Amino acid sequence: MLVKQPCLVKVNGARPVAHLPVLRAGCPKAVKLTLCKPLVCKAVEKPSADIGGGDGGNSGSGKKGLGGGKGDGSSNGENKNINPAILELLAAAGRTIDSFPEDFKNGLLNNKVTPEILKRYFELEKSLFGRMVWGIQGFRERLLADPSFPVKLAIELGIGVCMKIMAEYTKRQKNFVKEADFVFANTMMAIVADFMLTWIPAPTLSYKAAAPSANPLAKIFSGCPDNAFQMVPPGMEPFTLAQRFGAVIRNGLKLLCVGFCASMFGVGVTNSLLAVRKIMDPTFCSPNKPQNVVGTSAAYGVYMSISSNLRYQIIAGIIEERGIEVLFKGNHQLCHLLSLAARTGNTFLGSLLWVDFARLTGMQKASSH
């Protein structure tokens, strides 16, 4: 009769296992059993909860995370060292790091972007003006450093146009309408000059890495701020004294070119209109003789590179950024009114200095009386 008895069993030559029941009549020696398919136990990996995979590490839905990965956790570890406050703002806005421009993305990954700047970025993206100019090189950098830059630009252009037209009317009197073409040419020159005088010395905030260049001037001015007196932007290294001094020189060279080209355009157009008018009306007599285009343009370029350069850097970097906006922080309307007053006074002072400079260079003769 077959009975169940415990006996020693060898499994594939392994160590005998005791108490393994087998059906047999007797047990003269150990029985060898062969397993067809060995059982393999696999460890189950627990899903990672790192932010950057899934949907930000919260719902585990496998959506693209904050780091722009493929739902696999931390996008190669890029987000592990990012400020948690930045990650919270990104999650609240439903944004990924890859959704930002390359330079701003690098700033986020290198912890140079502060929560304040990121909030400002989101606010500017929602504004109408921000959406219009966001893709224009230089505008985003100036708006991040100073959200009121468009107001200051409008103030400067408005002051420049109004004062230029008033000066033209005072000079031409009854011939103002007849000589509207000259007025238009001079006004356009003033608009170009005023725009560049506001644009070049405006404080900026850029996260672009300095590109290697063989140009010796580019190497010298690498790392210089756009305004010699601007405050250190959040998350950035302090500027050295040499870098701030370099900003004065670099902006002066830029304004030298701007002044020369703007004057070349204005004086060239004016002289051309005078020539056309004399052809059409032989009896026409200009109150002023045609100006030397090259000489006048060179003088105006030098004036802008020295006088205008220093005055506008002081206005934007000291009076507005370090003075008005610090003393009256949060009161935007008052800040704008004070900027209007400061820039109006600066324009008037510039007009006086230009007369002295023109007389000094011999472009205008002082009255003998």
Side-chain angles (χ1 to χ4, degrees), residues 89-349:
L89 289 172
L90 292 174
R95 296 288 295 272
T96 68
I97 292 180
D98 285 341
S99 66
F100 294 92
E102 191 65 26
D103 60 326
F104 199 81
K105 173 184 174 181
N106 292 334
L108 288 169
L109 294 176
N110 295 324
N111 275 330
K112 291 184 177 181
V113 179
T114 63
E116 176 189 0
I117 296 300
L118 185 57
K119 290 179 182 178
R120 184 180 297 172
Y121 187 102
F122 290 148
E123 292 173 358
L124 291 170
E125 269 191 333
K126 296 177 182 177
S127 67
L128 177 61
F129 183 80
R131 291 195 299 269
M132 290 172 58
V133 302
W134 211 237
I136 301 177
Q137 179 68 27
F139 257 111
R140 175 160 52 85
E141 289 79 0
R142 284 164 174 78
L143 289 173
L144 286 175
D146 182 11
S148 62
F149 172 73
V151 177
K152 296 173 183 177
L153 181 60
I155 288 173
E156 189 64 40
L157 292 177
I159 293 172
V161 170
C162 291
M163 296 195 72
K164 185 63 179 176
I165 292 177
M166 289 175 61
E168 292 287 336
Y169 181 79
T170 301
K171 183 178 179 180
R172 301 179 190 279
Q173 293 291 334
K174 297 179 180 180
N175 295 325
F176 181 79
V177 177
K178 294 180 179 180
E179 300 176 357
D181 45 359
F182 299 104
V183 175
F184 177 76
N186 292 337
T187 303
M188 289 300 298
M189 183 184 70
I191 289 176
V192 172
D194 288 337
F195 178 86
M196 298 306 296
L197 283 170
T198 309
W199 177 271
I200 291 176
T204 59
L205 176 55
S206 176
Y207 299 99
K208 287 185 177 180
S213 174
N215 188 340
L217 286 178
K219 293 181 179 180
I220 293 174
F221 296 123
S222 175
C224 293
D226 285 281
N227 188 294
F229 308 104
Q230 77 173 76
M231 300 173 69
V232 179
M236 294 296 188
E237 295 292 331
F239 301 114
T240 64
L241 184 61
Q243 287 175 327
R244 292 188 180 276
F245 182 75
V248 176
I249 303 301
R250 183 182 63 182
N251 286 7
L253 293 175
K254 289 181 179 179
L255 289 174
L256 175 66
C257 297
V258 170
F260 181 85
C261 295
S263 181
M264 181 76 74
F265 170 79
V267 175
V269 170
T270 301
N271 289 349
S272 299
L273 291 174
L274 283 173
V276 171
R277 181 161 293 190
K278 285 183 178 181
I279 294 174
M280 298 179 64
D281 183 7
T283 61
F284 173 75
C285 182
S286 173
N288 300 307
K289 63 178 182 179
Q291 295 177 310
N292 183 331
V293 178
V294 177
T296 302
S297 300
Y300 190 59
V302 172
Y303 171 78
M304 285 188 66
S305 68
I306 300 175
S307 175
S308 301
N309 179 27
L310 292 174
R311 286 187 292 107
Y312 277 88
Q313 290 209 51
I314 291 172
I315 283 287
I318 297 179
I319 295 178
E320 291 180 334
E321 187 179 30
R322 294 181 180 270
I324 295 173
E325 294 171 5
V326 172
L327 295 174
F328 306 101
K329 185 176 181 179
N331 193 338
H332 301 298
Q333 293 183 346
L334 179 58
C335 289
H336 295 163
L337 288 174
L338 293 175
S339 292
L340 173 62
R343 289 181 176 274
T344 301
N346 179 52
T347 302
F348 180 73
L349 175 62

Side-chain angles (χ1 to χ4, degrees), residues 46-57:
K46 185 178 179 180
S48 173
D50 290 345
I51 296 178
D55 60 350

